[in-house]
Amino acid sequence: MLFSALGLGIGALMLLPIYYLLLRAFQADLPTVWALLTRPRTGQLLINTFLLTACVLAFCTVIALPLAWLVSRTDLPGRRVINVLAVLPLAVPGYVMAYALIGLSGNYGFLNQVFGVTIPRMQGLWGASLALSLYCFPYLYLNLRAAFAGLDQGLEESARALGCGPKEVFARVTLPHLLPALMAGWLVIGLYVIGDFGAVALMRYEAFSFVIYQQYTAAFDRLYASWLALILIAIALSVVWWESRLREGASYARTGSGSGTGSKRLELGWGGRLAGWSFSGVVVLVSLGLPVAVLSFWMTRSAIGPVLHPLFNSFMQSLSVAVPSALMAALMALPVAVLAVRYPSRLSTLINRLAFVGYAIPALAFALAFVFFSLQGARWLYQTHLLLITVYALSFLALAIGPIRSAFYQTRPSIEESARALGHGPLSVFWRVTLPSIRPGVVAGMVLVFVIAMKELPIAFLLAPTGFRPLSITMFSRTSEGMLVEAAPYAAAIMAFSAIFVGFVLRHDKKAG
Amino acid sequence: MDLKHDPMGETMTFLRNSVFALAAFAATPTLADLTLYSGRGETLVAPIIERFTAETGINVAVRYGGTAELTILLQEEGDRTPADLFWAQDVTALGMIKPMFAEMPSETLEKVESVYRDADGRWIGISGRSRLVIYSPERLEEADLPTTMAELTDERFRGRMALAPTNGSFVAHVAALREATSDEFALEWLQGLAANEPVMVSNNTAGYQAIADGEADLMLTNNYYLGRFLAADADFPVAQTTFEAGDLGNLMMVAGIGVMEGSANKEEAVAFVNFLLGQTAQQYFTGNVYEFPVTGEGIVPVQGRGLTFQEATEAAPEFDLNLIVDMEGTLELIRESGLI
């Protein structure tokens, strides 16, 4: 009951922005809307968005699946380090990744200035896919790693004992068990790609999201933009619907008695180690080395000393939002995940789908909705810390739900039932039995929210307290004026501090150990 | 479970402590007398705002953001906005918010030429920025440079021009072209550009970069970025030129400001506007931001960082910025041309 009530509350909050968009959409002149929507170009842009999403998902899987396997299931030396390095690209701001790839090429590019080599510019579908994949793949990695860690190896051993070859074991046992994690990862990456326009625009690829941005920013229009945003939400929610259809009815928890087999790692020979290191090395070099090199290159051109003090202040302000947002998102995600896994019903399905709305709506439209409602109903809340944190938590809730829900799928209700039978109350069971077993999922979810909140822009523009200057806004103030060199220390700070946080949180991560 | 090494507990304690520490740190807002929504970047305007506070004792709380985002925010807030002032990058944004601005006193308005302020006195230009052509001096001979904006559709620039078709200044420039000529001419010009297969870039900075990188040879853009690029790298391989004197391509636009009608601090707000129009601020915009003064005497131009304001004013056409209003229609025209 408690979970349903909490879930319903969250679902209701997610409906507010949709209500707002409908309100604005019906203020528009319908023939104009029709003309805008039926342009052949609108169709072309939708196809472009679809292609981009497909490519990014493919790239991300090719990067994340082997990495997660290496870290979770083999004895590859250095896997703890790889585990942290594989998550860090999340902290790279999209524009830095795009500039890093673009900045490699050209007469005035990094490679030419430092090494005298000129390569053709990365752009279009491939350029955009690569840029997005290089900082989105950790979403999939974290989901997959948690799934590998929670997977009972006894299952694989039984399959082998029953005569399956390694390939068959992977295809028939391992892969199906990884499916919820794969889909959770694909879902958040897909939704991100559908909504992103920053890196995509820099790569000169035109996608549907850009039309919405254009409508807001070039025509200062909120009415037609609402129609476009609603279309985007419809697409996103249909993706969410398909994902949950595929996930429904799945059962991945152990049912037998006894505990699962502890992780026995595959012992890699020298050849395997070399291959593992090379693969991880290339991924780290491109996804982290490249942006770090470009930022360092920019930073050598300006003095760091004078910016240290404002940088520290901005960092503290970023932290004052990102940390509570991560906590709040995790707190919101718990009841939603419990509903999905333990109390499947139409209502819980609906709540789980609604939970993705915040992430699927273009951020600008989402923020505008909360501007509208807080000014109407809760003036005292407007442009306060509390509102900003709440909106962040709602907006990034989907990121926290994925890993937490996957973790729940692998816990056994029977253990909780035993604890109840031994006289523990529901809260005590949750705190002492359930929470410890879903810990990796909760931590992963919080890391995801924290890192994205550190670099978020449009919501902060509209809803941050006036005078609030987090790293993302200070960075934007410089890039928007073409001052990439001056922006570099702030971009570097976002990456460095996110890295410290991720490192701290993953420090005790036994799954890689 | 060994409680001394309970990772979840440690993580939680760390998070809890950080939240308390941060809440204490961040929840100390300065008591502000004025609230400014600034679409202009912090690095560019913060020093001059600090100077204002030092001179007058009036504190200014600033919300920095993109001009477009803040324009939409103000529209959404309506008369409930906490802002006293809105400082925008371009006149199109000011035009959108005009109904929410209060009329400024005539002694403030008179400081600036009437073409650089709202005809009803609700917003005023603070600094000028010129539209012009940037090009690669290595790949484009001076004899081949375009002499009019119309000439940009010429065959000889096929595949060589960078273009940011949704950039606010470009859209405003097209809106001006519609007014100065006709919708038909503007559309034809846009179609000509589209037929010339321009190198599409996401914004002005990316255009400068594309020329430096050798991907494009010229671009119609704003003047002030060159000063900033040259300040970071004196050998930046991009040069500027104007079209022939009086051509609409040399349009002088302004970044400007308005006082909100609902402001309870109009007197301080107007004092802020007057300060921005004073000698100190105008010299600052010219010398440090690489823009142009809209008022004042004896402002010293910057040498060697692109066009000077004397050159820009001599080249600029006679055009009233009040005519730039129809953004939706202009965007529609750009759509029709196939550029976006």
Side-chain angles (χ1 to χ4, degrees), chain A residues 136-178:
Chain A
C136 285
F137 81 83
Y139 289 126
L140 192 58
Y141 170 81
L142 276 169
N143 274 297
L144 282 174
R145 214 213 39 184
F148 268 123
L151 178 61
D152 182 357
Q153 288 200 343
L155 286 171
E156 291 175 335
E157 276 165 22
S158 314
R160 228 167 284 140
L162 291 169
C164 291
K167 275 184 196 158
E168 214 176 344
V169 172
F170 184 77
R172 293 178 59 181
V173 179
T174 317
L175 206 55
H177 277 82
L178 294 179

Side-chain angles (χ1 to χ4, degrees), chain A residues 426-501:
Chain A
L427 281 180
S428 164
V429 170
F430 183 78
W431 189 251
R432 299 180 62 172
V433 179
T434 317
L435 203 57
S437 61
I438 58 166
R439 187 183 63 87
V442 176
V443 170
M446 288 201 300
V447 170
L448 293 181
V449 176
F450 172 86
V451 168
I452 200 165
M454 287 287 282
K455 49 182 187 174
E456 199 283 334
L457 268 180
I459 297 176
F461 280 157
L462 270 54
L463 291 174
T466 296
F468 193 64
R469 223 87 79 244
L471 289 170
S472 54
I473 288 187
T474 36
M475 179 182 82
F476 171 85
S477 293
R478 287 151 183 82
T479 51
S480 67
E481 302 283 353
M483 306 163 89
L484 298 179
V485 167
E486 287 80 354
Y490 294 91
I494 292 183
M495 286 178 58
F497 293 128
S498 300
I500 291 170
F501 183 86

Side-chain angles (χ1 to χ4, degrees), chain A residues 20 24 32 36 39 41 99 102-103 105-109 113 121 123 197-198 201-202 204 206 210-211 213-222 224 228 301 312-313 315-317 319-321 323-324 327 364 368-369 371-372 374-377 379 382-383 385 431 435-436 439 442-443 446 458-469 473-474 476-486 501 504-505 507-508 510, chain B residues 1 5-12 14-16 18-19 21-23 25-27 29 35-37 39-44 60-73 75-82 89-90 92-94 96 129 138-139 165-168 171 199-203 205-206 209-215 224-225 228-229 232-233 235-237 291 327-328 331-332 334-336 338-340:
Chain A
Y20 164 83
R24 289 279 172 263
T32 317
L36 191 69
R39 293 182 74 204
R41 195 178 147 80
Y99 274 119
I102 295 168
S105 63
N107 295 341
Y108 198 66
Q113 294 210 0
R121 186 186 200 276
Q123 58 180 343
F197 58 82
L202 277 172
R204 300 180 193 160
E206 294 176 314
F210 193 61
V211 193
Y213 179 71
Q214 212 166 271
Q215 198 63 26
Y216 275 123
T217 59
F220 310 116
D221 159 67
R222 290 166 300 152
Y224 301 104
L228 299 168
R301 296 180 166 196
F312 180 74
N313 284 342
F315 164 62
M316 291 308 274
Q317 301 206 335
L319 221 53
S320 74
V321 170
V323 173
L327 276 174
L364 206 52
L368 277 176
V371 169
F372 174 79
S374 63
L375 283 177
Q376 295 287 325
R379 195 71 208 268
Y382 188 56
Q383 293 181 345
H385 245 84
W431 189 251
L435 203 57
R439 187 183 63 87
V442 176
V443 170
M446 288 201 300
I459 297 176
F461 280 157
L462 270 54
L463 291 174
T466 296
F468 193 64
R469 223 87 79 244
I473 288 187
T474 36
F476 171 85
S477 293
R478 287 151 183 82
T479 51
S480 67
E481 302 283 353
M483 306 163 89
L484 298 179
V485 167
E486 287 80 354
F501 183 86
F504 179 85
V505 172
R507 169 176 72 125
H508 289 294
K510 290 191 215 115
Chain B
M1 190 187 286
H5 292 285
D6 169 20
M8 188 74 186
E10 268 182 47
T11 312
M12 287 318 227
F14 167 74
L15 292 175
R16 201 165 44 229
S18 353
V19 172
L22 291 167
F25 183 87
T35 300
L36 167 69
Y37 281 12
R40 312 229 51 203
E42 186 187 3
T43 27
L44 302 182
V60 187
V62 194
R63 167 176 298 274
Y64 290 104
T67 291
E69 282 89 345
L70 292 174
T71 305
I72 300 167
L73 176 62
Q75 288 178 325
E76 194 65 64
E77 289 178 335
D79 51 14
R80 294 171 194 234
T81 182
Q89 292 270 34
D90 46 69
T92 56
L94 293 166
M96 289 307 287
R129 47 264 297 279
E138 295 154 25
R139 296 184 300 276
T166 55
N167 168 262
V171 181
V199 178
M200 295 296 184
V201 291
S202 58
N203 54 35
T205 318
Q209 206 80 45
I211 294 176
D213 279 339
E215 296 176 86
Y224 47 90
Y225 296 100
R228 298 176 197 163
F229 276 110
D233 173 11
D235 300 324
F236 191 68
E291 296 183 342
M327 298 315 342
E328 186 61 50
L331 201 61
E332 190 46 51
I334 301 176
R335 283 205 183 100
E336 204 180 325
L339 278 174
I340 57 171

Side-chain angles (χ1 to χ4, degrees), chain A residues 349-399:
Chain A
T349 311
L350 180 72
I351 290 171
N352 266 272
R353 286 173 190 162
L354 282 177
F356 278 81
V357 167
Y359 193 64
I361 293 188
L364 206 52
F366 195 68
L368 277 176
F370 284 92
V371 169
F372 174 79
F373 287 110
S374 63
L375 283 177
Q376 295 287 325
R379 195 71 208 268
W380 54 274
L381 202 59
Y382 188 56
Q383 293 181 345
T384 58
H385 245 84
L386 183 60
L387 183 64
L388 181 63
I389 290 164
T390 312
V391 173
Y392 270 174
L394 287 170
S395 179
F396 304 132
L397 179 59
L399 293 179

